[in-house]
Every structure is written in structure tokens, then in C-alpha cells.
């Protein structure tokens, strides 16, 4: 895979695309103009992917990470990121979440929030089988703020974040191996990178599971969340109040 690593070049390419994609040749068939538009759109998405790969890797390399499990990692290479984006796409298709979290490129699920995320993955038998991200607050705000504003929470805390894209390949009931390791990774990021509190959107039926972690409070009850037609919650998570259960089962 060839990577465009210079921000200046990325900007130049984006400007060229913005200029040229509006050109329509009246003397050519509509089918040609349609194909040209599709080609420009594909190229824009490729440029976006290159930009996200570069910035996400740089952000993750800047974080403090000292987890001892060799199968639990921060993503620091393009190959790892592509595998994570592909796993997201595969699982969202399997569980019917494509409307709420659509692929940016067919088969690859990513967005602008990845650029400022601690992006964690877990490997099982040398294959990435789970992933999760902790988005650090930025000028883009946080994704769940399309539903509920976090401004009051910002005023009470120096640094907030949002936990999202909690993906497990082999889904099952209860505490599976991937979920336990991924949440221990989130705990590691919290305690080593000065995050005060994180928000997350979950289904109401999952609250009992998350309460076992300790430090979990309900911030807002919702009748729906985006395209999900069932009861959901915005919860906050503060690992300073981790439960004895969490420390025994997740951290040992």
C-alpha cells in the first residue's frame, strides 16, 4: 500500500479535486460525466483514508501505553489500522448497524474521530478479533453530541473523551475474553494519559454489564439513539472508581 505522507501534498490534491469535480463536459455523454464524478468521489475517499491513517498513527504513537499483554495493542501501523477498519465493517454488517455506522469506503469503516483516538485492538490466534477506541475531546467535539451536549461535563472536568466502536468478532453473552481485555486497555489509556472521564452511548439492556466495572453513571436516558429504535443511555465512566470485580477479573 502506497501512503501519501506529506500534509502539503494532501491539501494540494484535495484542492485539485474540489476544483475539477464540478466540471461537466456538455459535449460528452451523461454516462461519462457520471463516471467522472464517481471516480472523483472514490479518489476523495482514498485521500481521506490516507490522511486518517497518517494522523491516527501519529496520535497513537504520542500516547503513553504500558500494557503487558502482547496480544493487546495500540494501532501504530497502517496494516493494523486497515485490519481494524475491516473488522468494524464486517461486524457492523453482521449485526445490522450499517445505517448508523456506514462504511466510508466499502469494506472499511472509519471516520474523522479516529484521528484523535486511542485505537486499541486485541489479537486471538494472530488475528485481530476485537477493537475499541477512546476518542479524546477536540474541536470536532465528540460523536454522541449529535444526540446530547457534553458541555456541562466539560465544565467539571479538564479532559473528557468518548468510548466507541466497541467491536468483537465472535459475539456472545456475558464477559467474553475480548471485552475484558479491551476494557483493560481503556483503563490503561485513562490512567496513563490524564483523561478525567469518558462518555459512551449504550443500549439500556447492557447497563447491568457496564455497572460491574465500577465508576459508571447514567447521564441521559434516550428513547432512541440515531437509527436505533430501542431504549439507549449515555453513560459516564471514571476508572478512578473501578470496582473490586473489575480489578480482579479485568486487570489480573
Amino acid at each position: 500500500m502506497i501512503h501519501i505522507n506529506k500534509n502539503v501534498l494532501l491539501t494540494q490534491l484535495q484542492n485539485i479535486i474540489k476544483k475539477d469535480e464540478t466540471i461537466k463536459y456538455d459535449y460528452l455523454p451523461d454516462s461519462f460525466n457520471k463516471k467522472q464524478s464517481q471516480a472523483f468521489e472514490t479518489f476523495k475517499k482514498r485521500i481521506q483514508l490516507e490522511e486518517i491513517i497518517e494522523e491516527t498513527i501519529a496520535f497513537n504513537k504520542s500516547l503513553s501505553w504500558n500494557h503487558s499483554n502482547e496480544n493487546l495493542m495500540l494501532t501504530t501501523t497502517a496494516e493494523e489500522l486497515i485490519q481494524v477498519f475491516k473488522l468494524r465493517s464486517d461486524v457492523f454488517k453482521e449485526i445490522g448497524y450499517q445505517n448508523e455506522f456506514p462504511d466510508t469506503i466499502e469494506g472499511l469503516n472509519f471516520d474523522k474521530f479516529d484521528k484523535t483516538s486511542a485505537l486499541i485492538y486485541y489479537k486471538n490466534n494472530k488475528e485481530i478479533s476485537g477493537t475499541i477506541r477512546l476518542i479524546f475531546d477536540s474541536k470536532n467535539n465528540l460523536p454522541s453530541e449529535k444526540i446530547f451536549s457534553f458541555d456541562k461535563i466539560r465544565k467539571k472536568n479538564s479532559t473528557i473523551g468518548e468510548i466507541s466502536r466497541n467491536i468483537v468478532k465472535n459475539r456472545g453473552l456475558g464477559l467474553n475474553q475480548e471485552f475484558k481485555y479491551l476494557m483493560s486497555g481503556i483503563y490503561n489509556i485513562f490512567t496513563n494519559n490524564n483523561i478525567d472521564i469518558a462518555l459512551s452511548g449504550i443500549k439500556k439492556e447492557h447497563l447491568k454489564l457496564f455497572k460491574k466495572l465500577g465508576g459508571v453513571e447514567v447521564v441521559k436516558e434516550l428513547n432512541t439513539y440515531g437509527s436505533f429504535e430501542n431504549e439507549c443511555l449515555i453513560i459516564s465512566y471514571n476508572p478512578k472508581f473501578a470496582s473490586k470485580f473489575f480489578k480482579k477479573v479485568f486487570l489480573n
Side-chain angles (χ1 to χ4, degrees):
M1 189 175 187
I2 299 172
H3 304 291
I4 302 168
N5 294 315
K6 299 296 183 182
N7 289 332
V8 173
L9 182 56
L10 282 170
T11 302
Q12 289 174 345
L13 287 168
Q14 288 166 342
N15 289 337
I16 290 170
I17 290 169
K18 287 178 182 177
K19 179 180 178 181
D20 289 352
E21 69 180 339
T22 58
I23 297 174
K24 183 176 181 180
Y25 300 99
D26 294 332
Y27 55 85
L28 291 173
D30 287 342
S31 59
F32 176 87
N33 288 314
K34 183 179 180 181
K35 287 181 179 179
Q36 175 186 255
S37 177
Q38 291 172 341
F40 276 128
E41 187 62 30
T42 299
F43 191 57
K44 278 199 304 182
K45 289 179 179 179
R46 173 57 189 265
I47 295 298
Q48 182 184 1
L49 174 60
E50 293 285 355
E51 181 182 335
I52 286 176
I53 286 174
E54 182 178 356
E55 294 189 31
T56 304
I57 289 172
F59 187 81
N60 276 266
K61 285 183 176 180
S62 73
L63 298 173
S64 176
W65 172 264
N66 62 359
H67 206 286
S68 59
N69 189 319
E70 62 182 12
N71 292 317
L72 185 70
M73 304 288 290
L74 279 178
T75 53
T76 56
T77 71
E79 290 73 19
E80 291 168 344
L81 273 178
I82 293 299
Q83 289 180 60
V84 165
F85 296 161
K86 185 179 185 303
L87 178 62
R88 289 177 181 173
S89 175
D90 291 344
V91 172
F92 283 154
K93 286 177 183 175
E94 180 186 337
I95 63 178
Y97 281 17
Q98 276 281 295
N99 288 336
E100 185 63 27
F101 307 113
D103 289 351
T104 304
I105 294 175
E106 181 65 30
L108 298 176
N109 192 284
F110 58 91
D111 61 26
K112 64 183 179 181
F113 297 106
D114 286 313
K115 297 181 189 178
T116 53
S117 295
L119 215 160
I120 303 165
Y121 70 84
Y122 180 76
K123 272 190 172 182
N124 189 356
N125 293 325
K126 299 182 179 181
E127 178 186 20
I128 292 180
S129 58
T131 180
I132 195 169
R133 71 180 179 184
L134 173 54
I135 308 166
F136 286 59
D137 199 15
S138 70
K139 62 182 180 180
N140 292 321
N141 293 334
L142 294 165
S144 286
E145 291 194 89
K146 64 183 179 182
I147 306 293
F148 177 75
S149 173
F150 295 158
D151 284 346
K152 289 184 179 180
I153 298 168
R154 283 189 181 91
K155 290 178 181 179
K156 297 178 181 179
N157 298 277
S158 298
T159 306
I160 71 169
E162 180 171 347
I163 299 169
S164 72
R165 296 296 197 272
N166 187 353
I167 305 291
V168 174
K169 183 176 182 179
N170 299 310
R171 303 178 67 84
L173 298 176
L175 296 173
N176 58 46
Q177 176 174 260
E178 282 83 1
F179 178 76
K180 289 190 286 186
Y181 282 119
L182 292 173
M183 288 309 299
S184 73
I186 291 292
Y187 181 89
N188 187 282
I189 290 294
F190 256 103
T191 54
N192 289 289
N193 295 276
N194 301 316
I195 293 283
D196 296 315
I197 199 167
L199 293 304
S200 186
I202 65 168
K203 290 183 178 180
K204 189 173 183 179
E205 63 193 71
H206 295 158
L207 179 61
K208 185 176 180 180
L209 171 62
F210 281 93
K211 278 282 191 179
K212 291 181 178 181
L213 308 182
V216 170
E217 299 293 337
V218 176
V219 174
K220 181 72 174 179
E221 295 191 22
L222 305 166
N223 292 326
T224 61
Y225 184 97
S227 61
F228 297 133
E229 296 298 329
N230 39 7
E231 290 183 290
C232 295
L233 304 170
I234 300 292
I235 60 170
S236 65
Y237 172 56
N238 187 338
K240 293 178 182 177
F241 302 104
S243 66
K244 292 180 179 178
F245 169 80
F246 178 84
K247 291 178 179 179
K248 178 180 179 180
V249 175
F250 287 66
L251 301 184
N252 291 331

